[in-house]
Amino acid sequence: MQRLPTATAAGAGMTSLLVVLLLVSVLPGASGADSGPLDGRKMVFAGETAGVLARYSFNKDANVETASPPPPALAGSAAQFRGQAQLPRFAAPRRYDLRLRPDLVTCTFSGTAAVTVAVSAPTRFLVLNSADLSIDSASIRFRDLAPKEVVFFADDEILVLGFSKDLVLGEGVLSMKFNGTLNDQMRGFYRSKYQYKGKMKNMAVTQFESVDARRCFPCWDEPAFKAKFKLTLEVNVGMVALSNMPIANQTVAGPIRTVHYVESPLMSTYLVAIVIGLFEYIEGVTPEGTKVRVYTQVGKSSQGKFALDVGIKSLHLYKDYFGTPYPLPKLDMVAIPDFAAGAMENYGLVTFREVALLFDEESSMESSKQSIAITVAHELAHQWFGNLVTMEWWTHLWLNEGFATWMSNLAVNSFFPQWNIWTQFLDDTTAGLKLDSLEESHPIEKALASYIRKFAYSNAKTEDLWAVLEENSGEPIKNMMTTWTKQQGYPVINAKLQGNYLELEQKKILLKGKSDRLDIRDIASQCGNQEKGGNFWIKLNINQTGFYRVQYDDKLAAALQNALQAKKLSVMDKIGIVEDSLALSMACKQTLTSLLRLLYAYREEADYSVLSHINTASLSIAKISVDATPGLVGDIKQLLIKLLLPPAVKLGWDLKNGESHLDSLLRPVLLVALVKLGHDKSINEGARRFSIFVHDRNTSLLRPDTRKAAYLAAMQNVTASYRSAYNDLLKVYRESDEAEERGRVLSTLCFCKDENIVLESLNLLFTNEFRKQDAYYVLQGLDVETRDTAWVWLKDNWDRVTRKYGDTQAGGFIRYVVTLFTSNEKAAEFSRFFATRKKPEFERTLKQSLENVRISARWIQGIKSEPRLAQTVQELLRRP
C-alpha cells in the first residue's frame, strides 16, 4: 500500500487539527450536480454555526462578509445608519455598569445602563443595538447631554441617538433606563419553567449568542466591541442569582436582595450571562484552586457529578495545553430546563440543556455519558478559544467551533482512552484522524499557546491563526487552508488499474499534478500487499488521514472487498471505504449495486465504529429504495437485516457483565436499526419487553439503552383503534421528570403507520404538553410512509408553527419534513410554498433541505438505470 501525499509534515497534532477545521470551514450550500452529496455530508454545527450566520443576516441585503463599517457621520439624519451590516466605529463601549431587576411572577424586568463610551471620530450620533426593549427616552444622557432625537429602527434593531452638536472626542458615560419582557422564545433574557415542591415556577435565563444581548440591555452587540461588565441584580430573597463573575457583595432590604458582582475582564456581549432561580449545586476545585460548580434543579445535583469531574479535568488540561491559566476566578455550569441550543460557553457561567449536563445511572444511556463529556470539554475549550480570544466577526465562527471540537475530542480521549474517541469521531466527520497520545500534538500545542498569548482579551481573524501556525510549523498553512475555505466540496481521487500500472486522477489539486502513474510492482515489493496467486490490492488514504474521497475501478474495488473479508484493513480504513462508497453512490459516481456488494463484505464485522457507519449507510439505502425501487425495497431491507443481525444477536438485549463501553453503545444502534428495517423478531421482542416495562418500571428487561428500540417496536402495532401502546408511552412521558427519558419517548410517537396517530402526535406540539426545545424529538420520529401527512399538516399549520416556535426553530420543522421527500417535483412544490414565507432565520436550512431533496432525486435516477441491482440483491440474499 502507498500513502498519498496529504497534509504537512508538521506532526500528527497539526494535521488532525487542520482536518477538523476543514470540516467546518464551508457550510453546505447550493452546488453542482456532480458534487452535491459530497458537499452535503460535511459536518456542520447546525445548532451553532448555521443558526448564528442566519441570525445576523437580518440586515437584509447587506454583504456581511465583505462589508466594512460605515464612515463617521458628521451630519445627516439618523436614517443613514439603516441597512448596514455592522455598527459604525466612531464610538465604542469600554465598560458597562448594568443594573437589572427581573420579576419572575409578571415575567418582566427593568434596568439601567451606564456605559462608558469612547468617541474616536467627529460625530453627533451614537448608534447601538436594541431589540424588544422599551427605552425611556427622557432618561437618556451622554455627558449630561440629552439627545435631540431618539430613533429606533426595529428592522435593523438599532437605536440612534442624535445630539445637537458634535460630540467631544474621548470617553463619556451614556446612561438610560429601560424595561423588557422575560420572553418564552429561549433567546435574550427569557423565562424557563420548572417544578418546585409540586408548583410550577419561573427562572430567568440569558442566551445571547449571536445577537440577543440587545434584548436584555442596549449595547454594541458585536463580538469586536469588547468591554468590561459590572453587573448588579435585584432578586427575591431565597433565589440563587448567578452571573459571569463571583459575588462582590450583597445587601437585603425587605424581600429584595441586591447582588453586586465583581467586574469582568474584557469580553464580548454575547458571552454575558445571568441565571436566576431555585437551584442546588455540587462543587469541586481544580489543582490550581479554581472553584467549579454544577447547578441543577433541587433534587438533581447528584446527576451533575460526572460533568463536574470532566469539567475539573478539562480546566486543568487546558491550562497546560494553552500555556495560559483559566482567566476567571470561578466556573459555574448550569442545567436549564428550557434551552434552545445544546450548551453555551458564556464566560464563567456555562449553560446547558439538562440532557447535555446531567447523567443518571438509572435512567441515562451509556451514550449520554460520552455526549456529556464531549459537550463539557467543548464548551470549556471555548473559555480560551472564543472567550479569551474572540473572532472578529461571525464569518469566523466556524474556526471557533472547529477548534473546540478538536480540543474536546483530545481532552476526552485523554480522560477515557478506552472509548476510542478519535475513531468514533469519524462517525460525525467522515474524514479521518487519529491521535495516539498527547505528545503527538506538541507542535500545535506550542503554536496555540503563542496564539492565545498574542490575542488574549482581544479579537482575531482566521488569517491570524494561520499566520501563527505557519510561523511555528514552517509550513504554508495559509495557502493550503485558503484553498479549502474558498471552495465547496471534497476532492475525489480516481484510481484505475491499467496492466501493471496504477493510474490516479483528481479534480482538486492534492497530488503534484492532475494525474499520476505508479508501477504496482514497486508498490507491492515495498508494501507487501500482493496476495497469493498474484492478486494485487491497494487502499489509498491510509487511516483516512487525508481529506478527500477515493473512487476505485471495478478491479481495485473487488480486490479491496477481498482484503476486507481477509481482515487486512484497519478500523479507520474500513470506515473510510464505507463513507467514500456511500458518498460516491449518492453522487451517482458509483452504483448502488456495487455499494451493496461492498457492504456485504462487512457481514462479520464487530467493531462499534465500523458498524455505526454500516448502520448509517443501511438506513440511507432503505430510505432511498422506497422511491427508487419500490418493488425491490422489501428484499433490500432483508439484505440489510442480514448484514446487521449477527452482531445484534451476539450482543442481545441485555447488558452483560464486564462488557465494554463500545459494546454498550453498539447495542441500541443495531436494535433501533433492525426495528426500523422491519425485522419481525426484533419488533416482537421489543414490544414484549415494553409490555413488561409498562407494568414494572424497574424491570431489568428494559434498561435505558434499549428503551428506544422497544418504544419504536411498540409503535409499530399502534392504530387509531388499537392505541394502548401509544397511551402507555404518553403515560411514561408524563410520569417521568428526566429530560432524557422524556425525549426518548417523544422521538417515537410519530413512528407509526396510522396517519391519524401521526397527526395526533404532531398536534400535541401546539399544546403545553412539551417544552418548545423538545419539538424536534417529535419530528425525528417521522418516516417516509407518513411523510405526505406530515407535509399537509405543516402547510396547514405553518402560521401556528412560526407563532409558537419562532422563525429560528421553525427551520427544524422544515428540515425534518422536507428531507423525507426525494423528487424534483416535491422540491419545486416546497420552493413555491416558502417563496412568500422566507425568513433569514431559516433560509439557509430551507436551501440545504431542498438541496438534499434534489440530491436524492438524482440518486434515484441513477439507481433506476442500474441493470443488475435486482440480480445482485437476490444473489447476496442466497449466500450463506
Side-chain angles (χ1 to χ4, degrees):
M1 291 176 242
Q2 179 169 325
R3 184 192 301 270
L4 291 178
T6 54
T8 71
M14 182 74 76
T15 301
S16 60
L17 172 62
L18 295 180
V19 168
V20 177
L21 295 181
L22 292 173
L23 295 170
V24 292
S25 61
V26 183
L27 294 172
S31 60
D34 289 340
S35 59
L38 303 185
D39 297 330
R41 291 186 61 80
K42 287 185 178 178
M43 181 179 68
V44 179
F45 291 87
E48 297 186 38
T49 309
V52 167
L53 291 175
R55 295 296 307 283
Y56 75 68
S57 66
F58 63 82
N59 283 302
K60 300 295 185 276
D61 299 323
N63 186 338
V64 294
E65 296 214 23
T66 59
S68 58
L74 298 177
S77 69
Q80 66 184 297
F81 301 106
R82 300 197 66 181
Q84 301 294 329
Q86 299 180 35
L87 294 173
R89 263 43 180 180
F90 49 66
R94 294 291 182 260
R95 181 181 184 273
Y96 291 84
D97 194 332
L98 301 172
R99 191 180 190 98
L100 296 169
R101 182 170 183 168
D103 187 323
L104 298 182
V105 176
T106 62
C107 294
T108 58
F109 65 92
S110 60
T112 62
V115 188
T116 301
V117 180
V119 179
S120 57
T123 181
R124 71 177 188 88
F125 292 101
L126 291 179
V127 185
L128 62 160
N129 294 114
S130 178
D132 302 335
L133 294 176
S134 176
I135 307 292
D136 181 359
S137 298
S139 71
I140 301 175
R141 294 291 186 275
F142 181 63
R143 297 191 184 122
D144 295 326
L145 295 175
K148 180 182 178 180
E149 53 183 329
V150 178
V151 185
F152 173 62
F153 295 109
D155 289 346
D156 298 280
E157 298 183 349
I158 60 172
L159 178 67
V160 181
L161 309 178
F163 294 85
S164 58
K165 60 181 180 179
D166 286 356
L167 302 176
V168 176
L169 300 185
E171 292 187 356
V173 176
L174 171 67
S175 60
M176 67 184 74
K177 298 177 182 179
F178 53 91
N179 296 285
T181 299
L182 295 174
N183 68 73
D184 63 351
Q185 297 298 311
M186 294 182 290
R187 62 172 180 162
F189 203 11
Y190 72 92
R191 63 183 182 269
S192 175
K193 293 185 177 296
Y194 64 106
Q195 279 203 343
Y196 178 70
K197 294 184 176 179
K199 294 183 179 180
M200 192 64 69
K201 291 185 174 292
N202 293 316
M203 65 175 69
V205 184
T206 57
Q207 169 58 35
F208 289 163
E209 189 180 33
S210 57
V211 291
D212 291 320
R214 65 192 68 178
R215 287 173 168 78
C216 181
F217 55 92
C219 57
W220 279 256
D221 201 9
E222 296 178 8
F225 285 115
K226 283 194 167 185
K228 296 180 179 181
F229 290 83
K230 182 75 170 69
L231 265 68
T232 300
L233 297 178
E234 297 178 11
V235 301
N236 288 342
V237 171
M239 287 288 160
V240 174
L242 304 173
S243 190
N244 306 85
M245 301 298 290
I247 294 174
N249 57 77
Q250 52 189 320
T251 59
V252 176
I256 300 299
R257 180 167 63 107
T258 301
V259 186
H260 303 273
Y261 296 89
V262 174
E263 184 171 284
S264 78
L266 290 170
M267 57 191 269
S268 302
T269 51
Y270 79 93
L271 295 170
V272 176
I274 298 167
V275 176
I276 302 167
L278 292 173
F279 296 96
E280 62 183 25
Y281 67 86
I282 55 173
E283 68 178 7
V285 180
T286 69
E288 296 73 37
T290 302
K291 185 178 290 184
V292 181
R293 288 179 173 177
V294 173
Y295 284 85
T296 72
Q297 291 187 57
V298 175
K300 292 187 176 183
S301 59
S302 63
Q303 298 179 28
K305 290 179 180 178
F306 178 71
L308 177 65
D309 180 60
V310 173
I312 291 172
K313 289 178 178 178
S314 297
L315 288 186
H316 180 59
L317 172 68
Y318 294 159
K319 180 267 300 183
D320 292 333
Y321 199 87
F322 295 124
T324 301
Y326 172 64
L328 302 183
K330 62 92 175 175
L331 174 74
D332 296 328
M333 298 185 284
V334 189
I336 306 297
D338 298 283
F339 198 74
M344 177 61 205
E345 68 269 19
N346 311 301
Y347 223 174
L349 180 57
V350 185
T351 44
F352 297 78
R353 276 196 187 197
E354 289 189 329
V355 294
L357 188 67
L358 306 183
F359 182 82
D360 182 78
E361 294 290 345
E362 297 301 319
S363 64
S364 297
M365 296 175 62
E366 186 71 12
S367 59
S368 298
K369 178 179 286 188
Q370 181 174 302
S371 177
I372 288 168
I374 290 287
T375 303
V376 169
H378 180 105
E379 302 306 326
L380 298 198
H382 276 311
Q383 302 299 304
W384 283 264
F385 207 100
N387 298 6
L388 182 60
V389 179
T390 309
M391 72 272 164
E392 189 173 77
W393 185 242
W394 296 111
T395 46
H396 303 284
L397 180 66
W398 67 271
L399 182 65
N400 274 13
E401 297 305 330
F403 174 81
T405 297
W406 181 78
M407 201 69 214
S408 62
N409 279 269
L410 183 148
V412 173
N413 183 66
S414 72
F415 306 151
F416 307 101
Q418 70 275 20
W419 289 1
N420 293 340
I421 286 295
W422 286 119
T423 302
Q424 289 189 54
F425 188 57
L426 285 176
D427 294 344
D428 296 319
T429 64
T430 72
L433 64 155
K434 186 174 183 181
L435 215 61
D436 293 329
S437 67
L438 291 180
E439 283 71 26
E440 274 195 329
S441 63
H442 280 172
I444 195 162
E445 179 178 344
K446 294 170 186 178
L448 290 173
S450 174
Y451 174 80
I452 292 292
R453 287 193 297 270
K454 183 174 182 179
F455 294 98
Y457 301 107
S458 62
N459 298 84
K461 301 185 292 293
T462 303
E463 292 75 16
D464 295 323
L465 177 60
W466 299 161
V468 173
L469 293 177
E470 196 166 288
E471 180 181 349
N472 282 266
S473 70
E475 300 291 341
I477 303 296
K478 180 179 179 180
N479 288 341
M480 183 180 74
M481 295 299 287
T482 299
T483 298
W484 286 94
T485 58
K486 302 303 181 185
Q487 299 183 69
Q488 285 185 325
Y490 290 93
V492 176
I493 302 288
N494 293 294
K496 294 187 293 184
L497 196 59
Q498 296 288 347
N500 288 325
Y501 289 92
L502 176 67
E503 294 186 351
L504 305 175
E505 293 182 343
Q506 64 180 335
K507 291 187 177 180
K508 278 191 176 183
I509 303 302
L510 281 176
L511 305 172
K512 292 181 179 179
K514 188 173 179 62
S515 61
D516 205 347
R517 200 165 188 251
L518 305 172
D519 193 319
I520 63 172
R521 292 166 294 188
D522 294 336
I523 300 174
S525 63
Q526 294 174 19
C527 304
N529 56 337
Q530 187 88 19
E531 300 290 334
K532 291 181 180 180
N535 294 326
F536 171 85
W537 65 271
I538 187 168
K539 165 64 172 66
L540 303 179
N541 195 8
I542 300 298
N543 287 328
Q544 298 304 105
T545 50
F547 196 60
Y548 57 90
R549 302 290 192 198
V550 179
Q551 181 175 12
Y552 301 92
D553 69 4
D554 291 341
K555 291 181 181 178
L556 291 173
L560 204 51
Q561 289 176 32
N562 291 334
L564 276 169
Q565 292 173 324
K567 297 180 171 54
K568 297 284 187 179
L569 296 168
S570 70
V571 167
M572 305 289 274
D573 282 334
K574 290 178 183 178
I575 293 172
I577 292 169
V578 172
E579 285 298 329
D580 285 356
S581 297
L582 176 60
L584 291 166
S585 179
M586 292 174 68
C588 300
K589 294 177 180 292
Q590 181 175 310
T591 63
L592 177 59
T593 304
S594 63
L595 176 58
L596 289 173
R597 285 191 179 278
L598 172 70
L599 292 179
Y600 195 78
Y602 288 83
R603 63 189 179 278
E604 296 181 3
E605 185 56 56
D607 180 85
Y608 162 73
S609 295
V610 177
L611 282 169
S612 292
H613 286 267
I614 299 295
N615 175 74
T616 299
S618 297
L619 293 178
S620 295
I621 292 169
K623 176 187 172 183
I624 203 70
S625 298
V626 171
D627 294 318
T629 59
L632 194 59
V633 65
D635 288 339
I636 289 178
K637 286 184 176 181
Q638 289 304 309
L639 177 59
L640 298 173
I641 289 170
K642 183 179 180 182
L643 183 62
L644 297 175
L645 189 58
V649 170
K650 181 179 179 181
L651 287 172
W653 282 77
D654 298 310
L655 180 71
K656 294 179 174 58
N657 290 332
E659 78 175 18
S660 70
H661 170 76
L662 296 178
D663 279 348
S664 295
L665 296 185
L666 179 58
R667 180 180 290 108
V669 169
L670 295 176
L671 291 177
V672 166
L674 289 172
V675 171
K676 287 186 173 182
L677 290 170
H679 182 240
D680 289 337
K681 288 186 178 180
S682 295
I683 292 173
N684 292 338
E685 180 62 13
R688 182 185 76 84
R689 289 174 181 254
F690 175 69
S691 179
I692 295 172
F693 173 75
V694 167
H695 297 95
D696 179 10
R697 302 293 172 80
N698 296 316
T699 179
S700 62
L701 288 177
L702 200 59
R703 294 180 55 81
D705 286 328
T706 54
R707 284 179 194 167
K708 183 170 182 177
Y711 296 171
L712 289 169
M715 284 299 298
Q716 289 302 284
N717 299 318
V718 169
T719 65
S721 57
Y722 183 73
R723 50 181 293 139
S724 60
Y726 182 74
N727 293 337
D728 288 337
L729 276 171
L730 287 176
K731 185 178 181 182
V732 171
Y733 173 84
R734 289 162 180 157
E735 293 179 353
S736 175
D737 64 348
E738 300 299 331
E740 181 178 324
E741 175 70 349
R742 290 163 72 90
R744 190 156 45 229
V745 172
L746 295 183
S747 68
T748 64
L749 295 182
C750 283
F751 192 73
C752 180
K753 298 172 184 176
D754 191 310
E755 64 177 33
N756 293 306
I757 295 294
V758 172
L759 283 174
E760 183 176 339
S761 300
L762 290 172
N763 284 328
L764 286 173
L765 293 172
F766 297 127
T767 69
N768 293 323
E769 187 83 23
F770 309 145
R771 294 185 185 274
K772 288 184 179 180
Q773 67 180 24
D774 293 337
Y776 83 98
Y777 284 123
V778 179
L779 299 171
Q780 276 182 344
L782 292 170
D783 188 59
V784 292
E785 292 189 34
T786 53
R787 60 189 172 188
D788 290 316
T789 299
W791 170 232
V792 171
W793 174 87
L794 185 60
K795 283 192 298 183
D796 292 345
N797 293 280
W798 180 250
D799 290 341
R800 293 180 71 188
V801 167
T802 55
R803 279 197 306 271
K804 182 174 177 65
Y805 291 94
D807 292 330
T808 300
Q809 202 170 354
F813 286 74
I814 293 173
R815 180 172 64 254
Y816 282 108
V817 174
V818 167
T819 55
L820 292 170
F821 293 87
T822 59
S823 72
N824 289 320
E825 292 74 18
K826 274 295 180 181
E829 181 183 338
F830 300 143
S831 296
R832 289 192 299 270
F833 178 81
F834 288 109
T836 58
R837 298 171 174 86
K838 284 183 183 177
K839 294 293 178 65
E841 288 83 354
F842 62 75
E843 186 171 5
R844 183 179 295 271
T845 299
L846 175 61
K847 287 181 179 178
Q848 292 172 357
S849 300
L850 292 175
E851 182 185 7
N852 283 330
V853 175
R854 295 183 183 110
I855 288 168
S856 296
R858 291 196 297 270
W859 193 14
I860 285 172
Q861 292 306 309
I863 293 171
K864 287 182 175 179
S865 66
E866 295 183 28
R868 297 179 56 82
L869 178 59
Q871 179 182 339
T872 298
V873 170
Q874 297 304 324
E875 174 194 332
L876 295 176
L877 280 173
R878 288 193 298 269
R879 287 187 185 180

